[in-house]
Amino acid sequence: MKKMLIVGTGLIGASVGLALKANGFEGEVAGWDASAEELQRALGCKAIDRALERREAVLETDADVVVLATPVLPILDWMQQLAPKLKETQLVTDVGSTKGEITALASKLFNRAGRARCLPGHPMAGKESGGAALAEADLFRGATWLFCSGEGWAPGGELEMEWRKWVARFGAVMRELDPARHDEVCAWVSHLPQMVSTAMSAMLEDQFAGDREGMAAVQAIGGRALREMTRLGASPYSMWRDVAMTNTRAVAETLAALEQRLAHVRENLRTPELRDEFVKANGFRAKRG
């Protein structure tokens, strides 16, 4: 593996570039981004060695591995454009937050005779804000990096194995997961917390935005609990639109389950049932250490 191309040089893409370099990658890391500013930031922080300024240059790449580090819908678009252009000696992987549609499309376009390989992936790492300026070489250290395969896929070749070794060098813990299971579990552990934090932050804004004294009180009184509960509320819509659009059913199911649970709590504020909720919640936290 001598040449890499990162498509999307925001937080995750630029962090991949920095992680490669920090862990001994001596080849070239090229990058492309729809934002010229983000691309220059990635170049400036040395996450990439060369900036591709033309979109067409991505389709002409001779990189051994192409990392698609954009939101999910652009990933799907890039997969369709790259499939007829890449050679079977090249590998495409991604860092998308949902895997059902990506893995299904990979089954149609890649991993067959005469076509490039595709390895859908998802590092469970990030921040509430994006951008190359926040990229870190150690962003993936200790994080889980999920990989998904389609039904009937043949084992990956040498290039796929080499990419997995680099992910291990990043300090990530790799785990294989069925794409449908991936989207279900991520809806519970990642997508639901984001929607809850967004809703709570928006609710507080509605409640106190027109009340200067009230907002001042919220800011003065709100402590760690408020900061933790609303931290994800800083995440931009552009980061989560595609998650909502490509994992709609699973996210909707978790929200419906939460609505029912909140109603249960509301109805039992003065009964022993509330104690039972706390016991269950304490038990879950105890399992996580």
Side-chain angles (χ1 to χ4, degrees):
M1 194 171 81
K2 298 179 179 179
K3 291 184 178 181
M4 297 283 302
L5 171 59
I6 299 172
V7 180
T9 56
L11 172 65
I12 301 298
S15 293
V16 168
L18 291 174
L20 282 165
K21 294 173 177 296
N23 289 281
F25 183 70
E26 297 179 350
E28 180 189 69
V29 181
W32 179 91
D33 198 279
S35 166
E37 291 79 10
E38 280 299 304
L39 189 60
Q40 288 306 309
R41 289 190 188 99
L43 192 62
C45 72
K46 302 187 184 305
I48 59 174
D49 303 308
R50 182 166 61 94
L52 304 184
E53 298 181 357
R54 297 184 304 112
R55 184 183 180 92
E56 292 75 17
V58 175
L59 303 179
E60 298 165 359
T61 185
D62 62 349
D64 300 304
V65 177
V66 178
V67 180
L68 301 178
T70 67
V72 177
L73 293 181
I75 286 173
L76 295 169
D77 181 56
W78 276 115
M79 289 172 67
Q80 295 185 66
Q81 293 187 62
L82 286 166
K85 300 288 186 178
L86 299 183
K87 300 175 182 178
E88 57 185 338
T89 55
Q90 294 174 285
L91 171 70
V92 175
T93 189
D94 78 286
V95 297
S97 298
T98 65
K99 293 269 77 79
E101 293 192 24
I102 288 173
T103 305
L105 188 61
S107 293
K108 296 179 181 178
L109 301 178
F110 297 94
N111 302 337
R112 61 179 67 180
R115 292 294 183 96
R117 292 286 304 179
C118 183
L119 177 63
H122 179 200
M124 297 298 292
K127 301 178 180 180
E128 59 269 22
S129 299
L134 298 175
E136 298 178 11
D138 288 333
L139 185 67
F140 310 111
R141 190 161 302 281
T144 298
W145 196 302
L146 301 168
F147 287 115
C148 298
S149 298
E151 186 175 352
W153 285 10
E158 183 177 336
L159 198 56
E160 180 178 321
M161 294 300 103
E162 190 172 356
W163 173 243
R164 289 174 179 268
K165 289 179 181 178
W166 278 108
V167 169
R169 289 174 192 168
F170 297 167
V173 179
M174 289 178 287
R175 184 185 180 102
E176 305 293 323
L177 207 58
D178 172 81
R181 186 65 169 169
H182 169 282
D183 286 0
E184 176 192 12
V185 173
C186 284
W188 282 101
V189 304
S190 177
H191 309 163
L192 177 62
Q194 175 63 58
M195 298 305 170
V196 170
S197 184
T198 296
M200 183 172 178
S201 299
M203 181 178 65
L204 288 167
E205 180 70 9
D206 284 345
Q207 184 70 23
F208 295 104
D211 179 357
R212 181 177 299 180
E213 183 179 343
M215 183 62 80
V218 168
Q219 294 172 343
I221 297 170
R224 181 178 177 183
L226 182 66
R227 289 194 299 273
E228 290 183 353
M229 286 296 296
T230 59
R231 179 179 62 84
L232 294 176
S235 298
Y237 171 67
S238 59
M239 291 176 61
W240 287 92
R241 176 201 62 183
D242 293 9
V243 171
M245 293 183 69
T246 58
N247 201 24
T248 307
R249 180 190 58 78
V251 174
E253 288 178 354
T254 63
L255 287 169
L258 180 61
E259 289 170 6
Q260 293 177 359
R261 201 69 178 226
L262 288 173
H264 176 74
V265 170
R266 184 186 67 238
E267 293 163 2
N268 289 279
L269 291 175
R270 298 168 66 89
T271 78
E273 290 287 337
L274 182 62
R275 178 192 59 207
D276 294 342
E277 287 294 286
F278 273 79
V279 170
K280 290 177 183 177
N282 296 163
F284 175 76
R285 286 298 300 172
K287 293 184 179 76
R288 288 184 55 81

